[in-house]
Structures are given as structure tokens and as C-alpha cells.
Amino acid sequence: MSISGELPGEGSDGEEEVFINEEDIIHEITVDDEDLPDRDDDDEDGGDGMDDSEEIDDSTYIFHGHKDEVFTVACSPTDASLVASGGKDDRGFLWRIGSPDGALELTGHSDTVSTVAFSSDGTLLACGSFDGQINVWNAATRALQGTLEGSGSGFEWLRWHPRGHVILAGSEDCNVWMWNADHNAIFNTFSGHSSTVTCGDFTPDGKLICTGSDDASLRIWDPKTAQSKHVVRGHGYHTDGLTCLSITLDSQTVVSGSKDNSVHVVNVKSGQVVGSLVSHTNSIECVGISSSYGWVATGSMDQKLIIWDIARQSSRCICEHDEGVTSLAWLGSSRYVASGCIDGKVRIWDSLSGDCARVFSGHADVVQSLAITTDGNAMVSVSTDGSARVFDISMFK
């Protein structure tokens, strides 16, 4: 075979064209472009070592202060940039969205920081731990204001009174504790549960307290006398430990979820079970009530978030997930609700249609908790991957 023209490298720049004489062609084969293998993009740019399957990160800011799994997060009710978080590294942090400097470590704990919450006026921050202590910080001066103690057993959760500096917390010692945070003094101890108090809150009007326990009961308390007004348990109620509860804004109804897959509706005034929301097939992990609609959202290990019409006690829509749902948060007064999942994704759902409006990626492990900033522009999620991430949700207001 003869090749006319200069070989590459023989000319002045080695770029001369190479020709094959027509008589040297033995057989011509027609090739369809669609039959050719795709060219690797890395070949075009020389390869940059990037993995095409690398997960997209939709977060606008990441807080990396924690050195282990992060379990709890809260946003200030008065400052849209101020966030608190706590985790398995025995540490809590007070930090600002978008600011890599100036994070305050909430020191003093010797075990997992399981719960954080701002007072309703935003001036104080409480940080509770499995070490049996709650530290109260001044959010403005960042000074430790006081330490609250119970029996020494770990605290599962804490809540502030809706109109005062009073803290309520559920303990592994089966009791509920209440303090005056301004004076670091115990107000009352609520005794009656026979196992860990796993969830609870003041009613929005501040007049009563609802608590749920691993003993499969709900108790409704008078905060002044520390006496049970109602004990809800037995036939027609949960058969296993309660995991979560939420109270309607009118303080009339409490919705509780359990390990036994069930969701029940209880009248706060009478203590009677007035309804059951039946559909889930695995443990209920979270429950939240819309501030604008008469709807309840429940998330379960059965990979479903269900939106319920509480008046009709029927499901409006079922939002399917790839893995179990661990946390949820309604986006202010909008029709949208967010869910956190074992797969590390945070999803935004339209509660009117049941459609998934957005999927936020970024976490590499289970999403443990969600919180919405007071201006409704951002959502903060924390994960067992050790990070807290901020996502822009301004388009869902």
C-alpha cells in the first residue's frame, strides 16, 4: 500500500493531511453514527478526575462544626440567620447562616446533645443532653445564663412555654420537668409515666401540657398543679410506645404517632380518642400540623409521608419515598411540607396535589431533623453525616 503526502512529523508542523490512493481501498464499510460508542467527556478535556456519578449538592451553606452525627436543629424565631444544632459529639453550636466565623460552641455537656430550642421571644437558647443537664444561653450576649438539672437521667426533648421563659423537658427517668429559666429554679415535676417520656409540648395557649411515653400512654397535665387531667391508654389507643405528637393551634386536639404504626387523634379537653388515621404500615417517626389548613402530615418508616384531612379523618394524598421518612416541617403558612429521609434527601411536597415539588440533595446519610428560618426563605437540615445544610426555599413561600 502506498501513502502519498508527508507523514506526521515530517512536515513543518506535523499537521499535513494524509491520503490513501483510491486503488488501494479493498472494501468500503458504511458506519451509522448511532452505532459508534459515546465519547468519554473526560477524553475531550483531558480528564479532570471527576466522577460523573458524584452527588449534586443543592445546599447554599454548610456548617461543619460538628465532628459526629448531628441530631437536632432549631432556628431563632426572631433572627432569620441564627441557628442552633446539637449532636453525638456532646456539643451544641450557635451559628449564623452564611458566616464561617463566630460560631459559639455550647460547652458543658458530657453526652449527646439531644435537643435544642429557642425561647418564643428569641432571647434565650436551651441545650439539653443525655447527661441530664439543660444549659441555658443568652442568644445575644452568648453567655451561659444557667444550668438546669433533673434526676441525672438524660433528656429526650425540651420545649419553651409559648409566652414565657419556662422550659418543659421529658426525661429517661419517666418524669417531665419544668423550670423557670430566668431563676434556674424547678417549677414542677410531673410523675405518672412508667417509661421514658419521648415527646411532649405545651398547648399553644399555654394552659395545658401533653406528653407521650414509651409506656404507650398520653397524659394531659395541669402545669400549675402537676396533676394529670387525663391519661389516654389501652383499648382504642396505641399498643406501643409513642414517638411523636403535635397539637392544633386552637389547643383542642393532639395527634400522636407510635411505634405500632398507628396515628390517633385525641380531644385535649375530654381526653377522649376521637379518631384514628389508618394507613401506615411501620413506625411513625414524625407528625406536624399545618398552621393554615386543617391538615396533618405524618412520616413513617414505611417510606410514606401522608397528608390527612383531620376533620374527615381521611388521607388527602400519599407521598412515596425511596426509604423511611424521619422528619418533617411545614413551610410556614404555605401549602408545602418538607420531609427528611433515610436516603439523605430532603423533599418538598405540595399538600394540595401530593406532587413532589423539589428534591434537595447534599447529605450523605440520614436526615435527622428539619427547621425553617423565621422569614421562610431557608430550611436547615441536620444529618448523621455530621453536617448541617441550608437550602433555599424562598420560592415556596
Side-chain angles (χ1 to χ4, degrees), residues 342-365:
I342 286 178
D343 65 8
K345 300 289 194 301
V346 178
R347 295 171 173 84
I348 307 294
W349 302 89
D350 185 335
S351 64
L352 294 179
S353 64
D355 294 335
C356 184
R358 180 69 193 271
V359 179
F360 290 111
S361 299
H363 286 298
D365 211 335

mmCIF file of all heavy atoms in Angstrom, residues 342-365:
data_model
loop_
_atom_site.group_PDB
_atom_site.id
_atom_site.type_symbol
_atom_site.label_atom_id
_atom_site.label_comp_id
_atom_site.label_asym_id
_atom_site.label_seq_id
_atom_site.Cartn_x
_atom_site.Cartn_y
_atom_site.Cartn_z
ATOM 1 N N ILE A 342 -34.182 8.745 55.194
ATOM 2 C CA ILE A 342 -33.008 7.912 55.457
ATOM 3 C C ILE A 342 -32.015 7.989 54.301
ATOM 4 O O ILE A 342 -30.804 7.851 54.498
ATOM 5 C CB ILE A 342 -33.441 6.455 55.721
ATOM 6 C CG1 ILE A 342 -34.072 6.338 57.122
ATOM 7 C CG2 ILE A 342 -32.266 5.490 55.608
ATOM 8 C CD1 ILE A 342 -34.565 4.963 57.471
ATOM 9 N N ASP A 343 -32.494 8.239 53.072
ATOM 10 C CA ASP A 343 -31.607 8.289 51.906
ATOM 11 C C ASP A 343 -30.803 9.587 51.820
ATOM 12 O O ASP A 343 -30.054 9.792 50.861
ATOM 13 C CB ASP A 343 -32.383 8.049 50.614
ATOM 14 C CG ASP A 343 -33.406 9.144 50.303
ATOM 15 O OD1 ASP A 343 -33.428 10.166 51.006
ATOM 16 O OD2 ASP A 343 -34.195 8.958 49.351
ATOM 17 N N GLY A 344 -30.953 10.486 52.800
ATOM 18 C CA GLY A 344 -30.197 11.729 52.806
ATOM 19 C C GLY A 344 -30.824 12.858 52.022
ATOM 20 O O GLY A 344 -30.284 13.967 51.978
ATOM 21 N N LYS A 345 -31.958 12.609 51.409
ATOM 22 C CA LYS A 345 -32.629 13.630 50.613
ATOM 23 C C LYS A 345 -33.639 14.408 51.465
ATOM 24 O O LYS A 345 -34.219 13.888 52.412
ATOM 25 C CB LYS A 345 -33.371 13.001 49.436
ATOM 26 C CG LYS A 345 -32.480 12.224 48.465
ATOM 27 C CD LYS A 345 -31.599 13.148 47.657
ATOM 28 C CE LYS A 345 -30.973 12.428 46.464
ATOM 29 N NZ LYS A 345 -30.145 11.275 46.829
ATOM 30 N N VAL A 346 -33.843 15.667 51.086
ATOM 31 C CA VAL A 346 -34.924 16.479 51.639
ATOM 32 C C VAL A 346 -35.860 16.802 50.480
ATOM 33 O O VAL A 346 -35.427 17.306 49.444
ATOM 34 C CB VAL A 346 -34.392 17.780 52.282
ATOM 35 C CG1 VAL A 346 -35.549 18.625 52.802
ATOM 36 C CG2 VAL A 346 -33.416 17.469 53.406
ATOM 37 N N ARG A 347 -37.135 16.510 50.665
ATOM 38 C CA ARG A 347 -38.110 16.702 49.589
ATOM 39 C C ARG A 347 -39.179 17.710 49.994
ATOM 40 O O ARG A 347 -39.586 17.748 51.159
ATOM 41 C CB ARG A 347 -38.757 15.366 49.218
ATOM 42 C CG ARG A 347 -37.784 14.359 48.618
ATOM 43 C CD ARG A 347 -38.418 12.976 48.469
ATOM 44 N NE ARG A 347 -37.555 12.043 47.750
ATOM 45 C CZ ARG A 347 -36.587 11.336 48.319
ATOM 46 N NH1 ARG A 347 -36.347 11.450 49.618
ATOM 47 N NH2 ARG A 347 -35.841 10.509 47.598
ATOM 48 N N ILE A 348 -39.618 18.495 49.016
ATOM 49 C CA ILE A 348 -40.703 19.445 49.227
ATOM 50 C C ILE A 348 -41.939 18.911 48.508
ATOM 51 O O ILE A 348 -41.888 18.601 47.318
ATOM 52 C CB ILE A 348 -40.358 20.845 48.681
ATOM 53 C CG1 ILE A 348 -39.021 21.335 49.258
ATOM 54 C CG2 ILE A 348 -41.481 21.827 48.997
ATOM 55 C CD1 ILE A 348 -39.028 21.581 50.737
ATOM 56 N N TRP A 349 -43.064 18.836 49.248
ATOM 57 C CA TRP A 349 -44.297 18.277 48.703
ATOM 58 C C TRP A 349 -45.403 19.316 48.684
ATOM 59 O O TRP A 349 -45.545 20.106 49.615
ATOM 60 C CB TRP A 349 -44.753 17.088 49.540
ATOM 61 C CG TRP A 349 -43.739 16.004 49.638
ATOM 62 C CD1 TRP A 349 -42.748 15.878 50.575
ATOM 63 C CD2 TRP A 349 -43.577 14.890 48.750
ATOM 64 N NE1 TRP A 349 -41.996 14.760 50.331
ATOM 65 C CE2 TRP A 349 -42.477 14.131 49.226
ATOM 66 C CE3 TRP A 349 -44.268 14.454 47.616
ATOM 67 C CZ2 TRP A 349 -42.051 12.966 48.591
ATOM 68 C CZ3 TRP A 349 -43.840 13.293 46.990
ATOM 69 C CH2 TRP A 349 -42.749 12.556 47.481
ATOM 70 N N ASP A 350 -46.197 19.299 47.626
ATOM 71 C CA ASP A 350 -47.383 20.130 47.527
ATOM 72 C C ASP A 350 -48.532 19.351 48.176
ATOM 73 O O ASP A 350 -48.957 18.318 47.655
ATOM 74 C CB ASP A 350 -47.697 20.431 46.060
ATOM 75 C CG ASP A 350 -48.855 21.403 45.882
ATOM 76 O OD1 ASP A 350 -49.702 21.476 46.790
ATOM 77 O OD2 ASP A 350 -48.908 22.081 44.844
ATOM 78 N N SER A 351 -49.011 19.844 49.322
ATOM 79 C CA SER A 351 -50.029 19.089 50.057
ATOM 80 C C SER A 351 -51.393 19.109 49.363
ATOM 81 O O SER A 351 -52.279 18.323 49.718
ATOM 82 C CB SER A 351 -50.167 19.635 51.479
ATOM 83 O OG SER A 351 -50.634 20.976 51.471
ATOM 84 N N LEU A 352 -51.585 19.978 48.394
ATOM 85 C CA LEU A 352 -52.843 20.004 47.647
ATOM 86 C C LEU A 352 -52.915 18.877 46.632
ATOM 87 O O LEU A 352 -53.957 18.253 46.445
ATOM 88 C CB LEU A 352 -53.015 21.348 46.941
ATOM 89 C CG LEU A 352 -53.186 22.579 47.822
ATOM 90 C CD1 LEU A 352 -53.313 23.830 46.959
ATOM 91 C CD2 LEU A 352 -54.414 22.440 48.714
ATOM 92 N N SER A 353 -51.791 18.621 45.972
ATOM 93 C CA SER A 353 -51.777 17.623 44.904
ATOM 94 C C SER A 353 -51.039 16.337 45.278
ATOM 95 O O SER A 353 -51.248 15.300 44.649
ATOM 96 C CB SER A 353 -51.110 18.216 43.654
ATOM 97 O OG SER A 353 -49.737 18.508 43.914
ATOM 98 N N GLY A 354 -50.160 16.426 46.273
ATOM 99 C CA GLY A 354 -49.326 15.279 46.619
ATOM 100 C C GLY A 354 -48.098 15.148 45.746
ATOM 101 O O GLY A 354 -47.337 14.184 45.862
ATOM 102 N N ASP A 355 -47.876 16.134 44.860
ATOM 103 C CA ASP A 355 -46.725 16.093 43.966
ATOM 104 C C ASP A 355 -45.451 16.522 44.688
ATOM 105 O O ASP A 355 -45.482 17.379 45.578
ATOM 106 C CB ASP A 355 -46.943 17.026 42.775
ATOM 107 C CG ASP A 355 -48.071 16.562 41.872
ATOM 108 O OD1 ASP A 355 -48.354 15.340 41.860
ATOM 109 O OD2 ASP A 355 -48.683 17.411 41.193
ATOM 110 N N CYS A 356 -44.338 15.923 44.287
ATOM 111 C CA CYS A 356 -43.034 16.335 44.809
ATOM 112 C C CYS A 356 -42.577 17.553 44.013
ATOM 113 O O CYS A 356 -42.336 17.473 42.807
ATOM 114 C CB CYS A 356 -42.021 15.204 44.679
ATOM 115 S SG CYS A 356 -40.407 15.597 45.398
ATOM 116 N N ALA A 357 -42.472 18.687 44.691
ATOM 117 C CA ALA A 357 -42.123 19.939 44.020
ATOM 118 C C ALA A 357 -40.625 20.131 43.887
ATOM 119 O O ALA A 357 -40.167 20.854 43.000
ATOM 120 C CB ALA A 357 -42.726 21.126 44.782
ATOM 121 N N ARG A 358 -39.847 19.486 44.758
ATOM 122 C CA ARG A 358 -38.390 19.676 44.707
ATOM 123 C C ARG A 358 -37.710 18.599 45.539
ATOM 124 O O ARG A 358 -38.232 18.177 46.572
ATOM 125 C CB ARG A 358 -38.023 21.062 45.242
ATOM 126 C CG ARG A 358 -36.534 21.409 45.245
ATOM 127 C CD ARG A 358 -35.995 21.586 43.843
ATOM 128 N NE ARG A 358 -34.542 21.614 43.832
ATOM 129 C CZ ARG A 358 -33.792 22.710 43.972
ATOM 130 N NH1 ARG A 358 -34.374 23.894 44.153
ATOM 131 N NH2 ARG A 358 -32.474 22.652 43.911
ATOM 132 N N VAL A 359 -36.553 18.145 45.078
ATOM 133 C CA VAL A 359 -35.702 17.251 45.848
ATOM 134 C C VAL A 359 -34.373 17.953 46.081
ATOM 135 O O VAL A 359 -33.714 18.377 45.127
ATOM 136 C CB VAL A 359 -35.459 15.909 45.121
ATOM 137 C CG1 VAL A 359 -34.539 15.020 45.951
ATOM 138 C CG2 VAL A 359 -36.775 15.205 44.844
ATOM 139 N N PHE A 360 -33.984 18.084 47.336
ATOM 140 C CA PHE A 360 -32.701 18.692 47.685
ATOM 141 C C PHE A 360 -31.706 17.599 48.035
ATOM 142 O O PHE A 360 -31.948 16.787 48.931
ATOM 143 C CB PHE A 360 -32.842 19.637 48.881
ATOM 144 C CG PHE A 360 -33.592 20.903 48.582
ATOM 145 C CD1 PHE A 360 -34.851 21.126 49.121
ATOM 146 C CD2 PHE A 360 -33.041 21.885 47.767
ATOM 147 C CE1 PHE A 360 -35.543 22.303 48.862
ATOM 148 C CE2 PHE A 360 -33.728 23.057 47.496
ATOM 149 C CZ PHE A 360 -34.981 23.264 48.039
ATOM 150 N N SER A 361 -30.582 17.596 47.322
ATOM 151 C CA SER A 361 -29.500 16.645 47.590
ATOM 152 C C SER A 361 -28.348 17.352 48.289
ATOM 153 O O SER A 361 -28.226 18.571 48.226
ATOM 154 C CB SER A 361 -29.006 16.029 46.278
ATOM 155 O OG SER A 361 -30.034 15.321 45.625
ATOM 156 N N GLY A 362 -27.508 16.573 48.925
ATOM 157 C CA GLY A 362 -26.340 17.128 49.593
ATOM 158 C C GLY A 362 -25.866 16.255 50.739
ATOM 159 O O GLY A 362 -24.677 16.004 50.892
ATOM 160 N N HIS A 363 -26.797 15.786 51.556
ATOM 161 C CA HIS A 363 -26.412 14.930 52.678
ATOM 162 C C HIS A 363 -25.999 13.543 52.186
ATOM 163 O O HIS A 363 -26.553 13.027 51.213
ATOM 164 C CB HIS A 363 -27.564 14.796 53.669
ATOM 165 C CG HIS A 363 -27.782 16.025 54.501
ATOM 166 N ND1 HIS A 363 -26.831 16.514 55.368
ATOM 167 C CD2 HIS A 363 -28.848 16.858 54.606
ATOM 168 C CE1 HIS A 363 -27.303 17.587 55.974
ATOM 169 N NE2 HIS A 363 -28.508 17.830 55.524
ATOM 170 N N ALA A 364 -25.053 12.954 52.921
ATOM 171 C CA ALA A 364 -24.562 11.626 52.562
ATOM 172 C C ALA A 364 -25.135 10.540 53.466
ATOM 173 O O ALA A 364 -24.779 9.366 53.325
ATOM 174 C CB ALA A 364 -23.033 11.606 52.645
ATOM 175 N N ASP A 365 -26.014 10.933 54.395
ATOM 176 C CA ASP A 365 -26.581 9.957 55.331
ATOM 177 C C ASP A 365 -27.940 10.473 55.819
ATOM 178 O O ASP A 365 -28.431 11.500 55.348
ATOM 179 C CB ASP A 365 -25.622 9.723 56.495
ATOM 180 C CG ASP A 365 -25.724 8.307 57.058
ATOM 181 O OD1 ASP A 365 -26.800 7.691 56.907
ATOM 182 O OD2 ASP A 365 -24.746 7.824 57.673
#
